[in-house]
Amino acid sequence: MTAVGNGSQTAGRPTRLPRSARRKQLLAAAQEVFVAHGYHAAAMDDIAERAGVSKPVLYQHFPGKLELYLALLDTHCDAIVAKVHDAMRETSDNKERVEGAVRAYFDFVDHESEAFRLVFESDLRNEPAVRQRVERVEQGCIAAITDTIISDTGVSRAHAELLASGLVGAAETAAQFWLAGGRQVPKAEAEALLAALSWRGIASFPLQGEPAAGPTQTESA
């Protein structure tokens, strides 16, 4: 097993890294080990070896395996919630917002597939602290979309939350299915398909002050 490349040693001597850089290095090594073996089979010895550090160095930053795992989850949970928030803020066009929310999940699974598996396919989901973080991802994404729906349409919070949960659930499930299926559909096409499906429902709730969209000729025929 090779150590994570980070300049952790020079001429046989350990290189002292800034604390933030060392923490990032250890998290990267831990992610590889957790994804490869699962939480229960992963060992702190393996993580230290993968990072190219001694166990005492690892324990200086993380008192135990669970704390290390939770730190990883926090990093990735915050990242995906931020992606959905950004999708809501980047445009005032609601169709583009739906596309952006869907893209946030597909980007996450495409570029951060290990992180996605760590968060959504954890073998530690029954651990309360882990479950709380996974739920925080879903609730954070739902909240971002809910606030946008309320602001734009004026529907009640209960209605907006239900709509938002449907969009988040569809995006998460579809992205996970796409990843597990080996990305058989091109990413852009997969995003467009799901966004089109979601938009047909969201579009029936017009912006405040605008009339509700009536059925198209095809739909009313």
Side-chain angles (χ1 to χ4, degrees):
M1 184 179 291
T2 58
V4 173
N6 48 45
S8 59
Q9 290 188 339
T10 302
R13 296 182 178 181
T15 300
R16 292 185 64 85
L17 295 177
R19 186 172 181 82
S20 60
R22 179 69 76 192
R23 179 183 173 86
K24 184 176 181 180
Q25 170 206 6
L26 296 175
L27 288 172
Q31 177 168 305
E32 293 181 5
V33 175
F34 283 135
V35 170
H37 304 293
Y39 176 83
H40 295 291
M44 293 293 270
D45 284 331
D46 297 332
I47 295 168
E49 181 183 349
R50 178 63 184 147
V53 301
S54 65
K55 279 183 68 177
V57 169
L58 180 58
Y59 280 112
Q60 285 174 10
H61 292 264
F62 302 100
K65 185 168 71 168
L66 179 59
E67 288 79 10
L68 178 52
Y69 191 81
L70 294 178
L72 263 176
L73 287 184
D74 283 335
T75 298
H76 296 310
C77 289
D78 291 344
I80 192 168
V81 172
K83 283 179 179 291
V84 174
H85 271 283
D86 289 345
M88 297 300 103
R89 296 187 186 118
E90 283 174 356
T91 177
S92 59
D93 185 304
N94 281 336
K95 186 172 185 292
E96 292 179 3
R97 283 170 170 161
V98 170
E99 293 168 351
V102 170
R103 189 181 308 114
Y105 275 90
F106 276 86
D107 280 348
F108 190 63
V109 304
D110 189 36
H111 304 305
E112 302 287 348
S113 58
E114 288 188 351
F116 185 87
R117 292 187 173 103
L118 194 74
V119 175
F120 294 106
E121 299 176 4
S122 171
D123 60 348
L124 201 62
R125 290 287 288 268
N126 290 331
E127 165 64 40
V130 173
R131 186 170 63 249
Q132 183 268 336
R133 282 161 171 80
V134 174
E135 290 173 353
R136 179 165 60 83
V137 172
E138 295 170 347
Q139 292 303 315
C141 293
I142 288 170
I145 297 171
T146 294
D147 290 341
T148 301
I149 291 174
I150 291 174
S151 175
D152 285 352
T153 68
V155 300
S156 70
R157 176 162 293 275
H159 284 81
E161 285 178 338
L162 190 59
L163 288 168
S165 69
L167 177 57
V168 167
E172 178 186 324
T173 300
Q176 188 171 14
F177 182 85
W178 177 77
L179 177 64
R183 300 177 171 91
Q184 294 186 34
V185 177
K187 178 173 173 284
E189 187 176 335
E191 292 171 357
L193 284 170
L194 188 62
L197 174 65
S198 300
W199 176 243
R200 287 180 68 86
I202 299 291
S204 65
F205 294 86
L207 296 175
Q208 293 193 65
E210 293 185 358
T216 64
Q217 275 192 314
T218 302
E219 291 170 332
S220 59

